[in-house]
Amino acid sequence: MPTVTHSASPLARATLPQAWRIEVFRRPNFDDPDGTRALREFAELGLTTVQAARLGRGFLLSPALSRVDVERLVVELFADPVLDVARITAPGAAPLLDPRARHRVLVMKKPGVMDSVAQTIERTIARAAYAKLANGERVRALTFQAWEFVGTIDPRELERAAKRTLANEVIEDVWVDREDVHFTLPDDHAVRASVTVPLRDASDDELVRISRQGCLSLTLLEMQAVRAHYRELGREPSDCELETIAQTWSEHCKHKTFAGRIDFRGERIENLFKETIQRATRELAKPWCISVFKDNAGIVAFEKDGDVEWDVCFKVETHNHPSAIDPYGGAGTGIGGVIRDVLGVGLGAKPIANTDCFFVGPLDLEEARVPKGCMHPRRILRGVVAGVRDYGNRMGIPTVNGGVWVDPRYVGNPLVYAGTVGLMPRWAAEKSVQPGDLILCVGGRTGRDGIHGATFSSIELDESSSVVSSSAVQIGDPITEKRVLDGLLRARDRRLYRAITDCGAGGLSSAVGEMGAECGARVQLERVPLKYPGLSPAEIWISEAQERMVLAVPPEHLEAIRAVFAAEDVDATAIGEFTDTGELELFYGETRVGVLDLQFLHDGTPRPLRQASYTPRELADPGAPPCANPGAMLLALLASPNVASKEWIVRQYDHEVQGMSAQKPLVGEHEDGPGDGAVLQPLASSRAGIAVGCGANPRYGLLDPWAMASAAIDEALRNVVAVGGDPARTAILDNFSWANCANPEQLGALVLAARACYATSVAFGTPFVSGKDSLNNEFRVGDEVIAIPPTLLVSALARVPDVSRSVSMDAKAAGNRLYVVGLTHGELGGSHYLGELGLDGGRVPRPDLALAPKQLAALHAAIRDGLVRSVHDLSEGGLAVAAAEMAFAGRLGVELSLSAVPTAELPANYDPNATRLFSESCTRFLVEVEEAHAAAFERALAGRDFARVGSVDASGRLKIRGVKGQTIVDLPVDELARAHRGGFAG
Amino acid sequence: MNVATKAVRALVVRTAGTNCDRETCLALERAGAAPKLEHVLQLCEKPALFDGYGIFVVPGGFSYGDDLGAGRVLGYQLRTRLADALQRFVARGGIVLGVCNGFQVLVDTGLLEGALSERAQRGVALDVNASGHFECRWVTLRAEASACAWLEPGELLPVPVAHGEGRFTVRDAEVLARLKSARQIALRYVQPDGSGGTDVAYPANPNGSVEAIAGICDPSGRVLGLMPHPERNLTPWNHPRWTRLGPRAEGEGLSFYRRMVATASALAK
């Protein structure tokens, strides 16, 4: 990276690129939104002397092009005739500059980092009738950003600010007041031969060193198993083989801890995952579970339409470590990856909805308190939102559900979850590979992107992670993935392939290794299409370059399937075939660069016994202290980051594309009420719908991991039931993000949470159909380790019998009755109320597993029968927040009497008003019912805990009377709405 | 002859990044047309594919990622490869619709200004939203008294927008005057109750469009482009406030497509 040497002249000259340089700026009479944003973000860093900023879109093109062609390209392709002006600079010449600009900052992706715009340019020029190079070569293009600044600025300060706001040095180079951007390809340094790694005679210390230096993330025990295997074979492993083992055995791919042996306080667990999550699903044995746990996503039955049985599938993934280092690229590839999971489930599903959940550090953190090596949580959140936005929107998949949770312990290790729902015909639910099928690699080309992503995601982050792990970061290209999607579904419907999987973590090594696990495979690595020359066989084999799928294609369909993809402008290359040898054989040309026994690869992982314990924190129960000013507390809760409006995020996502939405993320009179879940109508000819919701509460996890997990499931179910989902047809997904489970206490918390999942899933009759765990979420600065709180995200996918009966959470009409369904307990442990008061400890909410399922079933029946007008679940902030949201979303009045709220007996230190207002007990709802349906509603809920607590009126105020009848809250709904949207807004 | 054989045929072009094909084809079908999706590379190879169609639709999406500007590359392909075919199509009475990215594409081609090849003469553009970013929200459109062959002046249409570059912009006041005198201002953003003139502000005017212009037609009235998505309001449950409204038989966006298809059928006779 060029370092900055400031000279008196704003433009120090160095070697200027041998390429045509085009910079496209907006005409001076149009404002520049990118410049405005840069000024705002500079100001946040205290740099206020910049008066104006403008962004030029920069392009470099092959120097052999003629000036006439370049000028024509600029007019026809690069510049808008109304909005833009362009500057063209000849190869090697000094660029034309705006004389007003005092400083320039150039930002360009490092060589080899995905530049999708450059790809589009190259493809478009290749199809043009002009701009041909004499030697017949393709025109090459690169892009960069050219920022111009006006004002008196210390260039060092400018550089610092630029690196924190305009560029990410992990993937980009930055030039301040220099013009010598590069026009190069990555180095061609590869050895294209088989490299052996001497292992058989290595000592244990050497094994550890080999694992660490090779970024293999294998433990000593695992390295010993590998050594023993090769001693038995009487030879040394090749680098390809060792890499394949490392990828396949990575925590990310193998889930060694979750599926491993555990000693929990003297109790033996053979396989935590099988004994909890999977066991619940097995025992429930729901006939509508079509494919669970064995494929890229869980598949459940949806609806018969004409002759076709339609299923829906759902998968949620974490993409934590890449997002910490490059929020934009990390979140984008996170969503891109989970979309490919859905494209690769069975024979492929059409993605119809995305979800995203973010867990980040405090958004108002002082700059000085951001740990070394971390980005500010604001920058992370803005980055991940933009990443999901740009990927999901371009793919044409509506992002319909999600959440943001803030906690100081996520500051070094944010969590980024992305989910995708797919729609598929039943016949496409199963896949099978047969020996003789060709291995077809489809989609993006392979580069050095994301080498060691799978092993990287399995280790702890530290302050140097952003430097050493840059190659683990991938950059997505959504339009390539959209091309793949378009081709794939057409090929699927013509039944041109027998099996498919995505190229995710571990790249081809995982994809081919998994598909060939039952039979065998032979791969010719030199056939894999590359972005640029110079990759070694091992790099090709483990690269995590994005937007690739692997298909098993019967040879007789090869021509047809290649034609399908060619019509979409997608590369589809046969790189080998599946065999019946039980071996994975890798060739580079004639040279065999690796051969692995598939049984050893998949079953040879040592299964160490891990120690787990759990010591509850000893904290006094603070109870529910009385609230001196409930109205002020309510306003504070509405503005707190977990409760406050996420509208700034929601509206950046296209939640309407595909035209299926029936309940949206934002509802009500002014479309600013936070909907509990989203409802979609996937089939045009059927009113059946799906509801998507989620639940998580990291504040509960540190106090009581069992209750945390159980409450997360309850919340996810509440959210889908509240909008009309059928709890008897709801599938759930578990996504655990945990700190380092080598720590027995962390592992003990995981055991408790997993056991809670079992008990809760069985009690509700809602099976898990898919899930994922991400362990080792810690950040190390010096000697200090910041561990994330135990975090379980539960996502729910429910069938909605009839979308015309789905409901929203906004109050609908004056005169309607309001009921609270569910029993309020003295459960304020981890609540937002105690959080506002700065109090720790207390009883964490957990659902009553005997009663809660009946509660949900009864409420669902009432919704299905059209007896209710609105439903809002009670969660963060309790009844007070739910009532406020319902009132302002409907821009109506709400009147409540706390004395009527069904409440369990409370211990002495639980103030009756504070408990009823702010307890976060599970399985509770606020329900609006028309007078005419009141009797039927009460019949439907007979035997359950519920009571009429008030009514909707036209006052435009929220009025709450305390247990003694006195008014304790009286606030206009406009003030509530204002507080709710008063937080951070991007 | 039964109705199905008489249904006007609608050609829906797609390419890498097209993503509103499902709802666009559904809208056309429900409005009585027979839609057919065709890849732009196919059209470029065989411009004769336009024959027999009464409607040509450029649907929404991110064609080629909008990598060089919204709609730029697809616009470039239509401009350079299909200019004659498109001009002939319009001249023989065909209807052209561009929605969202399709509108951006039509603007880029110059077809809405009646000058398909003279790029330097172009007077209108769809600029980055005033907010600076992509935004998805419901707005209300009012059909203006215009040359458009099939919009019903005064009709209100609740529809979602979902775009980052939809701010209707003109080169100068002269361009705006020319559009007005040729009756090309077809749709404006208005308040939900239908009120508002040329000064409607955010959020009703979601992107800061000049004079709240949401869509324009060409001087012939047979080419229309608009940023919002009527095809995403087909069912009674698409509307964001349907739970607060009385019973509705269908989404308001369907009437938009029905009128277009009916007009295309009449023109085809």
Side-chain angles (χ1 to χ4, degrees):
Chain A
M1 231 244 22
T3 51
V4 175
T5 46
H6 176 60
S7 73
S9 146
L11 296 176
R13 278 191 202 176
T15 321
L16 294 161
Q18 283 301 318
W20 285 98
R21 177 194 298 229
I22 300 156
E23 292 182 8
V24 180
F25 285 84
R26 292 163 62 79
R27 287 180 191 272
N29 52 321
F30 292 110
D31 60 1
D32 186 326
D34 294 301
T36 310
R37 188 180 307 125
L39 290 183
R40 196 179 65 221
E41 292 183 12
F42 279 9
E44 279 178 14
L45 297 173
L47 182 60
T48 52
T49 55
V50 186
Q51 290 157 4
R54 291 185 90 77
L55 172 62
R57 291 178 290 123
F59 308 94
L60 298 178
L61 296 178
S62 297
L65 281 168
S66 71
R67 178 174 282 276
V68 174
D69 280 344
V70 172
E71 285 176 351
R72 186 166 167 197
L73 285 170
V74 168
V75 169
E76 293 199 338
L77 211 49
F78 291 102
D80 183 279
V82 176
L83 302 171
D84 297 332
V85 286
R87 306 176 198 156
I88 301 173
T89 305
L96 299 168
L97 304 175
D98 181 343
R100 294 187 323 133
R102 293 289 300 275
H103 296 280
R104 302 233 311 163
V105 173
L106 305 185
V107 178
M108 188 176 209
K109 295 208 169 92
K110 290 178 190 284
V113 173
M114 161 66 75
D115 184 343
S116 55
V117 176
Q119 285 192 3
T120 299
I121 294 168
E122 290 175 1
R123 281 168 187 268
T124 308
I125 294 179
R127 288 186 188 283
Y130 60 101
K132 297 296 171 206
L133 299 185
N135 56 10
E137 271 181 32
R138 256 172 96 104
V139 172
R140 266 190 68 219
L142 284 179
T143 70
F144 63 99
Q145 296 173 303
W147 292 91
E148 294 191 343
F149 299 98
V150 179
T152 317
I153 316 153
D154 175 352
R156 279 173 208 83
E157 221 183 307
L158 176 63
E159 184 189 10
R160 234 182 349 261
K163 286 180 175 174
R164 291 173 77 172
T165 58
L166 308 180
N168 182 351
E169 285 188 275
V170 175
I171 50 163
E172 290 165 326
D173 290 326
V174 179
W175 290 261
V176 177
D177 294 337
R178 291 176 53 158
E179 299 296 335
D180 51 328
V181 290
H182 51 68
F183 188 63
T184 49
L185 289 171
D187 296 342
D188 181 349
H189 59 65
V191 183
R192 293 176 186 79
S194 185
V195 179
T196 53
V197 184
L199 210 66
R200 279 181 297 168
D201 300 323
S203 68
D204 284 356
D205 284 352
E206 282 166 329
L207 289 180
V208 170
R209 186 183 51 78
I210 291 168
S211 171
R212 196 178 51 236
Q213 285 183 349
C215 211
L216 301 177
S217 296
L218 291 173
T219 63
L220 174 60
L221 196 63
E222 289 158 356
M223 287 298 286
Q224 286 167 336
V226 176
R227 183 177 61 191
H229 179 68
Y230 280 92
R231 279 178 178 166
E232 212 174 290
L233 293 179
R235 65 177 180 89
E236 299 290 1
S238 72
D239 60 343
C240 278
E241 290 168 0
L242 202 51
E243 291 281 12
T244 307
I245 295 166
Q247 300 296 329
T248 310
W249 291 7
S250 69
E251 185 63 52
H252 186 91
C253 296
K254 194 88 183 171
H255 304 276
K256 292 178 287 202
T257 306
F258 216 137
R261 296 158 67 223
I262 298 172
D263 177 326
F264 181 55
R265 302 192 283 210
E267 203 184 325
R268 178 62 64 86
I269 298 166
E270 276 306 314
N271 182 325
L272 180 61
F273 177 67
K274 277 193 182 159
E275 289 170 32
T276 56
I277 309 285
Q278 226 174 8
R279 178 176 159 209
T281 304
R282 197 178 58 240
E283 287 179 8
L284 288 169
K286 296 289 181 190
W288 44 268
C289 285
I290 304 301
S291 166
V292 293
F293 294 119
K294 62 179 189 188
D295 207 334
N296 290 348
I299 307 176
V300 294
F302 173 54
E303 177 78 353
K304 188 159 190 209
D305 183 30
D307 296 336
V308 186
E309 287 277 1
W310 289 95
D311 294 337
V312 284
C313 60
F314 196 9
K315 175 66 175 280
V316 176
E317 270 279 13
T318 49
H319 218 52
N320 301 340
H321 290 182
S323 303
I325 287 171
D326 176 21
Y328 180 84
T333 50
I335 196 84
V338 78
I339 291 168
R340 284 195 302 284
D341 275 328
V342 159
L343 293 180
V345 69
L347 294 174
K350 182 187 182 192
I352 58 170
N354 284 340
T355 66
D356 63 341
C357 294
F358 308 128
F359 296 74
V360 295
L363 300 170
D364 53 359
L365 192 69
E366 281 171 55
E367 284 290 336
R369 297 188 54 201
V370 177
K372 187 167 174 256
C374 294
M375 286 186 195
H376 194 286
R378 268 197 310 264
R379 186 174 183 197
I380 291 178
L381 186 59
R382 282 177 182 140
V384 295
V385 167
V388 170
R389 174 194 69 201
D390 287 354
Y391 209 106
N393 291 354
R394 276 174 173 70
M395 286 297 292
I397 303 167
T399 302
V400 298
N401 185 253
V404 177
W405 287 264
V406 168
D407 188 284
R409 284 161 289 235
Y410 296 118
V411 75
N413 194 133
L415 306 181
V416 170
Y417 294 89
T420 299
V421 180
L423 178 69
M424 67 201 301
R426 173 74 46 82
W427 60 261
E430 297 289 339
K431 62 179 88 177
S432 71
V433 173
Q434 290 187 12
D437 285 351
L438 299 171
I439 303 171
L440 193 73
C441 185
V442 168
R445 293 178 163 238
T446 298
R448 230 170 254 132
D449 340 30
I451 302 274
H452 289 132
T455 51
F456 168 62
S457 75
S458 308
I459 58 175
E460 163 192 298
L461 294 179
D462 65 29
E463 56 196 87
S464 64
S465 297
S466 63
V467 184
V468 299
S469 321
S470 65
S471 72
V473 174
Q474 315 95 323
I475 306 293
D477 175 15
I479 295 309
T480 294
E481 187 144 310
K482 182 68 165 71
R483 284 188 173 100
V484 171
L485 186 165
D486 290 345
L488 209 54
L489 295 181
R490 285 172 170 83
R492 180 196 73 183
D493 290 344
R494 289 177 56 189
R495 312 201 186 197
L496 295 178
Y497 56 88
R498 249 195 287 267
I500 180 171
T501 198
D502 66 307
C503 250
L508 288 171
S509 75
S510 293
V512 177
E514 250 173 58
M515 285 177 86
E518 304 297 320
C519 51
R522 184 165 53 238
V523 180
Q524 292 292 147
L525 289 167
E526 82 284 0
R527 291 195 197 153
V528 176
L530 301 181
K531 291 179 182 170
Y532 39 82
L535 272 70
S536 74
E539 285 176 323
I540 295 170
W541 185 231
I542 64 164
S543 159
E544 294 181 7
Q546 299 289 296
E547 289 87 29
R548 300 177 303 164
M549 305 291 292
V550 176
L551 282 66
V553 177
E556 65 270 25
H557 293 329
L558 179 65
E559 282 319 302
I561 198 166
R562 287 183 54 128
V564 168
F565 285 109
E568 307 295 331
D569 217 356
V570 173
D571 285 331
T573 312
I575 60 165
E577 61 180 357
F578 292 102
T579 61
D580 57 5
T581 59
E583 287 181 336
L584 185 54
E585 295 170 276
L586 306 176
F587 288 86
Y588 192 90
E590 299 290 302
T591 315
R592 195 166 83 167
V593 294
V595 55
L596 280 147
D597 175 59
L598 280 159
Q599 200 183 347
F600 170 73
L601 183 62
H602 290 290
D603 303 326
T605 328
R607 302 187 76 238
L609 186 64
R610 291 177 171 83
Q611 293 299 321
S613 56
Y614 187 73
T615 322
R617 293 159 69 215
E618 283 187 26
L619 293 163
D621 181 357
C627 186
N629 187 342
M633 174 57 71
L634 173 56
L635 292 173
L637 287 171
L638 286 169
S640 67
N642 293 354
V643 177
S645 174
K646 312 295 184 295
E647 184 165 354
W648 73 273
I649 299 175
V650 172
R651 296 226 178 272
Q652 291 192 56
Y653 299 152
D654 191 341
H655 45 265
E656 300 286 355
V657 61
Q658 302 189 25
M660 303 174 298
S661 85
Q663 294 295 342
K664 301 166 203 293
L666 293 166
V667 297
E669 185 65 15
H670 292 184
E671 291 153 51
D672 60 357
D676 289 321
V679 176
L680 301 173
Q681 186 191 359
L683 301 171
S685 47
S686 161
R687 283 190 182 188
I690 55 164
V692 183
C694 65
N697 204 322
R699 290 186 181 207
Y700 298 170
L702 286 172
L703 290 169
D704 185 342
W706 200 103
M708 178 276 285
S710 191
I713 294 173
D714 188 85
E715 186 182 11
L717 296 178
R718 289 196 311 266
N719 281 331
V720 290
V721 169
V723 292
D726 180 353
R729 287 294 297 274
T730 301
I732 52 178
L733 278 64
D734 63 286
N735 282 85
F736 290 84
S737 284
W738 235 251
N740 186 357
C741 284
N743 176 344
E745 287 286 308
Q746 292 286 358
L747 188 57
L750 185 69
V751 170
L752 290 173
R755 288 183 169 176
C757 284
Y758 166 75
T760 312
S761 163
V762 168
F764 278 110
T766 53
F768 288 98
V769 295
S770 173
K772 200 81 191 245
D773 55 286
S774 164
L775 310 182
N776 294 317
N777 288 288
E778 298 190 346
F779 189 85
R780 181 181 292 280
V781 210
D783 292 337
E784 197 201 347
V785 170
I786 312 175
I788 64 156
T791 309
L792 170 64
L793 173 72
V794 176
S795 307
L797 177 66
R799 190 173 179 279
V800 178
D802 179 350
V803 297
S804 75
R805 292 279 169 88
S806 64
V807 288
S808 57
M809 52 67 74
D810 46 308
K812 298 298 187 305
N816 288 346
R817 295 179 173 206
L818 286 174
Y819 292 84
V820 162
V821 173
L823 192 61
T824 301
H825 297 267
E827 294 177 316
L828 285 102
S831 69
H832 283 63
Y833 177 60
L834 291 193
E836 285 294 317
L837 298 177
L839 295 171
D840 203 355
R843 254 186 76 196
V844 173
R846 55 168 78 190
D848 181 330
L849 296 183
L851 296 177
K854 296 177 185 161
Q855 204 89 320
L856 292 185
L859 179 61
H860 171 67
I863 295 171
R864 183 197 59 210
D865 295 343
L867 302 179
V868 309
R869 289 294 279 130
S870 65
V871 180
H872 195 16
D873 95 299
L874 270 50
S875 55
E876 285 107 335
L879 173 62
V881 164
E885 290 174 344
M886 189 183 261
F888 81 68
R891 290 302 190 280
L892 288 164
V894 158
E895 192 171 7
L896 294 182
S897 200
L898 294 184
S899 59
V901 174
T903 308
E905 202 173 319
L906 300 177
N909 59 339
Y910 283 76
D911 176 73
N913 285 332
T915 304
R916 285 168 177 79
L917 283 171
F918 303 120
S919 169
E920 297 181 4
S921 290
C922 293
T923 337
R924 295 181 307 152
F925 302 87
L926 188 57
V927 182
E928 179 186 3
V929 178
E930 281 172 16
E931 202 59 46
H933 289 134
F937 176 77
E938 292 185 6
R939 273 197 304 278
L941 271 286
R944 311 270 66 89
D945 290 308
F946 78 104
R948 180 176 181 188
V949 296
S951 37
V952 178
D953 60 40
S955 68
R957 302 182 77 84
L958 171 66
K959 277 176 279 191
I960 301 178
R961 284 192 308 278
V963 288
K964 294 193 178 127
Q966 75 285 26
T967 298
I968 56 172
V969 173
D970 184 3
L971 289 165
V973 293
D974 287 337
E975 196 176 339
L976 299 170
R978 211 162 35 243
H980 187 248
R981 54 161 194 270
F984 177 74
Chain B
M1 230 198 295
N2 64 33
V3 181
T5 56
K6 286 202 305 195
V8 61
R9 296 173 66 208
L11 179 62
V12 181
V13 66
R14 72 178 183 94
T15 188
T18 300
N19 65 30
C20 302
D21 37 330
R22 175 199 186 260
E23 59 268 42
T24 301
C25 289
L26 191 60
L28 289 162
E29 224 171 82
R30 290 201 169 166
K36 172 93 163 60
L37 266 180
E38 201 73 71
H39 201 286
V40 70
L41 295 178
Q42 287 283 318
L43 289 179
C44 286
E45 269 170 36
K46 273 191 268 174
L49 285 173
F50 275 97
D51 296 347
Y53 286 95
I55 298 172
F56 176 62
V57 183
V58 190
F62 285 84
S63 52
Y64 301 98
D66 285 351
D67 280 344
L68 290 170
R72 181 75 47 76
V73 176
L74 183 54
Y76 166 85
Q77 289 176 325
L78 298 185
R79 258 187 273 135
T80 54
R81 304 286 301 276
L82 290 165
D84 291 347
L86 265 174
Q87 254 152 351
R88 271 201 309 276
F89 180 79
V90 178
R92 72 163 161 82
I95 280 186
V96 177
L97 174 69
V99 177
C100 195
N101 195 236
F103 184 23
Q104 294 162 338
V105 169
L106 291 186
V107 163
D108 187 85
T109 61
L111 191 62
L112 284 159
E113 296 177 84
L116 213 121
S117 52
E118 291 158 56
R119 193 151 169 78
Q121 300 304 309
R122 223 180 71 197
V124 305
L126 290 164
D127 197 359
V128 176
N129 293 353
S131 66
H133 57 73
F134 185 100
E135 206 163 314
C136 178
R137 63 166 64 248
W138 280 67
V139 297
T140 305
L141 294 182
R142 184 181 61 214
E144 304 290 66
S146 74
C148 181
W150 47 275
L151 286 175
E152 181 75 17
E155 190 182 19
L156 297 181
L157 213 56
V159 279
V161 289
H163 60 251
E165 290 104 5
R167 182 183 193 176
F168 185 78
T169 304
V170 290
R171 185 190 292 277
D172 50 38
E174 221 173 279
V175 172
L176 195 57
R178 191 180 72 214
L179 292 174
K180 285 179 182 169
S181 73
R183 304 178 67 237
Q184 287 178 257
I185 315 291
L187 293 156
R188 277 202 165 88
Y189 300 108
V190 292
Q191 301 296 345
D193 62 2
S195 66
T198 56
D199 57 346
V200 171
Y202 183 85
N205 174 352
N207 47 35
S209 287
V210 64
E211 293 204 357
I213 293 169
I216 61 169
C217 60
D218 78 329
S220 83
R222 293 194 301 277
V223 183
L224 178 75
L226 74 164
M227 286 313 299
H229 292 274
E231 68 282 358
R232 295 186 188 173
N233 184 10
L234 302 180
T235 78
W237 315 289
N238 284 142
H239 193 291
R241 294 185 303 282
W242 70 266
T243 54
R244 308 180 70 79
L245 305 171
R248 288 144 65 246
E250 61 182 40
E252 291 80 359
L254 195 49
S255 69
F256 173 96
Y257 280 92
R258 210 179 272 129
R259 285 186 209 289
M260 181 178 80
V261 171
T263 306
S265 304
L267 284 168
K269 274 169 198 154

